[in-house]
Amino acid sequence: MFGTAGSWAPGGYPPAAGAWPAGPSGSGQQWGQGWPSGGQQTGWAPPGTGAPAPRRRRLPALSGARLLAWTGGAVTLLGVVLLMVLAASRGWFSPPLRVAAGAVLGAALIGIGGWLHRRPSGRTGALAVTATGFATLYLVVAAATALYAYLAEVPALVVALVVAGGGLGLADRWRSQLLGTGVVAGAALLAPALTAGWLLVALVLALQLAALPVVLRRDWPVLMLVAAAGPVVYGVVEAVRLAEGAVGELSTVAVALAALVVGLGTAAPAARLVARPPAVAVLVVASAIPTAAAGSALDGWPGALVVLAAALGAAVVALLTRGQPAVRLTAGATATLAVFQATVTALDGAAMVTVLLAQAVLAAVVATATRSRFLLVVGLVLGGIGVLAGLPTSAPPPVSFPQFPYVAGGVVSQQALITAAGIAALVLALAAALLVACGRLGWVRPDAASARLWAPIGLVGLYGAGTLVITVALLISPDRTGFTAGHALVTVSWTVAALVLLARGITRPALRVTGLVLVAAAVAKLVLFDLVALDGIARVVAFLGAGLLLLAAGTRYARLVAEADPPATPR
């Protein structure tokens, strides 16, 4: 309501024209000329005054106008592509006239867009018209190169980079991510209608290169991802064609590596300058996809070397992005996956299992030295894959004699035994390294709460130790005597290990429980396996050795427990 003359209380109606109090300059303001602060009217307006409508009513109309303008731009670009393709196939006009008509249309649209942008009311249409003009020029360059051969590939890429740089530079000047995205998306989506192969990938790479400085300057993650989408998609298509034998290896590998370099070269500085870590993480993964696809298509050592390039690039990004945990973690995971793919691409069988286990041991050792949880997880994953891959074929536990692959056709294979012994030694080293790393990082403690982690690692270590002992025994005596002697030694060694754990577990319940479980396992092996599978002196040695050790340990253990308990206080 109104108070004194010339004033207005909130909740009432505006005063008559000229009744506003003086503004900052000391002069009154008339109704319809703006608010007293000099801003624009955005609230209530009486009907019939010609004042702007409320913002919530203008948004639907504005969105509809924007959609209409950009739809018109998309249709225009389709018309340009149809003109180029149909004119080339049906002989319409002369080739110079076709290219000139497209260039004139693109330049005219850019000029119209600049003219429209001078007024705020025309800027919605100006963005759509200008993006259509630059995309038209870009497609004209592609057509002049691929359809009419007016330009060689290298000069064409330079011209395309200049055109894209002009459009994206204007987007930077107008501070419109929508304009930059429209230029890139329009050119990249319709370029396959005019060209294909490595030239297509190179053209969209030129768009990504032109977008790089604008993305870093303006912090535009949407433009960054849209510009990266073209090289990723078309690079994968080239890799599929390589697998089918439709394209050459050199050109496909070259464009895949170029996409990797440009993508990771964008991601490394963007991690510091673009305040969108998830978008940068997506860019890191996407940049490695064409290289991984090309490596899979090549197969063998050449494919592995291509994929290792992706691993190296992702590792460099991980080292350069210490202040961005999400990006660094994604880059590290990408590098790890690339190393794994390179391993399985170049190797198979026992060689692959050996390399995977060696990588897992190395990751666990480095994790211990650097206290890196990520590397410890890498060691656990690679070690698990290596153990599961080696169990069935390369180094299965020797539970019978003869047994494949150690004995084939009635002949003991020294090579298979050496391979299994090496894999078993790596498995044992892996279990030890993982336990040390988990203890250093606090993942494994001497209590039952962490048993779900150290128990499976301990079982893997027992598998490695048992297989190593038996295969070495078979190498020394490649007959049933070596087999039975090895199993007897395994049983005795399990018993010794259990007694050590029991002695160390006087005040540590977890170690004590582990020792008791291992004792039970040794006894079970004696009764269920050694009694049936072993014979002669080996069976006697296994039972006597284990029994005497258990007797001595039981006596000693009872004494240690009694000495550890405090004496009862007499009443």
Side-chain angles (χ1 to χ4, degrees), residues 386-465:
V387 170
L388 293 177
L391 273 174
T393 56
S394 302
V399 295
S400 64
F401 188 87
Q403 176 183 338
F404 183 83
Y406 308 121
V407 180
V411 179
V412 176
S413 173
Q414 296 287 329
Q415 182 62 41
L417 289 172
I418 293 173
T419 300
I423 292 175
L426 281 174
V427 170
L428 182 59
L430 173 64
L434 289 177
L435 285 175
V436 172
C438 289
R440 186 173 180 83
L441 291 172
W443 290 13
V444 168
R445 298 175 301 277
D447 53 36
S450 57
R452 60 181 177 272
L453 185 59
W454 55 256
I457 296 177
L459 290 175
V460 169
L462 288 178
Y463 152 68

Side-chain angles (χ1 to χ4, degrees), residues 124-468:
T124 298
L127 298 179
V129 172
T130 305
T132 305
F134 278 106
T136 298
L137 290 181
Y138 205 86
L139 295 174
V140 167
V141 173
T145 306
L147 296 182
Y148 308 125
Y150 284 163
L151 290 173
E153 286 83 356
V154 175
L157 291 175
V158 175
V159 175
L161 188 61
V162 171
V163 172
L168 291 163
L170 189 59
D172 177 46
R173 182 176 180 181
W174 288 357
R175 300 185 179 183
S176 173
Q177 183 174 201
L178 183 60
L179 173 58
T181 305
V183 172
V184 172
L189 286 175
L190 294 177
L194 301 172
T195 183
W198 72 269
L199 180 59
L200 173 60
V201 184
L203 284 172
V204 291
L205 274 173
L207 292 171
Q208 189 177 10
L209 274 175
L212 174 59
V214 182
V215 166
L216 299 180
R217 171 180 166 83
R218 293 296 182 187
D219 184 9
W220 286 347
V222 175
L223 176 60
M224 178 180 67
L225 294 180
V226 170
V232 172
V233 174
Y234 301 144
V236 171
V237 171
E238 281 301 290
V240 173
R241 296 179 64 200
L242 174 61
E244 296 173 349
V247 293
E249 296 180 359
L250 183 59
S251 60
T252 303
V253 171
V255 294
L257 292 177
L260 175 71
V261 172
V262 174
L264 296 182
T266 303
R272 294 180 287 106
L273 300 177
V274 178
R276 300 294 190 278
V280 180
V282 171
L283 178 61
V284 171
V285 176
S287 301
I289 291 177
T291 311
S296 298
L298 287 174
D299 204 4
W301 279 104
L305 292 176
V306 173
V307 180
L308 282 176
L312 179 60
V316 171
V317 173
L319 293 175
L320 295 177
T321 54
R322 295 177 180 270
Q324 295 290 341
V327 179
R328 191 179 186 189
L329 178 62
T330 304
T334 302
T336 303
L337 290 175
V339 170
F340 175 75
Q341 181 187 351
T343 302
V344 299
T345 300
L347 305 171
D348 56 6
M352 180 190 71
V353 174
T354 303
V355 172
L356 286 177
L357 291 173
Q359 292 170 356
V361 172
L362 178 62
V365 171
V366 177
T368 304
T370 60
R371 296 179 181 269
S372 171
R373 292 181 174 85
F374 174 76
L375 289 177
L376 179 53
V377 173
V378 170
L380 288 169
V381 173
L382 291 180
I385 296 174
V387 170
L388 293 177
L391 273 174
T393 56
S394 302
V399 295
S400 64
F401 188 87
Q403 176 183 338
F404 183 83
Y406 308 121
V407 180
V411 179
V412 176
S413 173
Q414 296 287 329
Q415 182 62 41
L417 289 172
I418 293 173
T419 300
I423 292 175
L426 281 174
V427 170
L428 182 59
L430 173 64
L434 289 177
L435 285 175
V436 172
C438 289
R440 186 173 180 83
L441 291 172
W443 290 13
V444 168
R445 298 175 301 277
D447 53 36
S450 57
R452 60 181 177 272
L453 185 59
W454 55 256
I457 296 177
L459 290 175
V460 169
L462 288 178
Y463 152 68
T467 305
L468 176 61

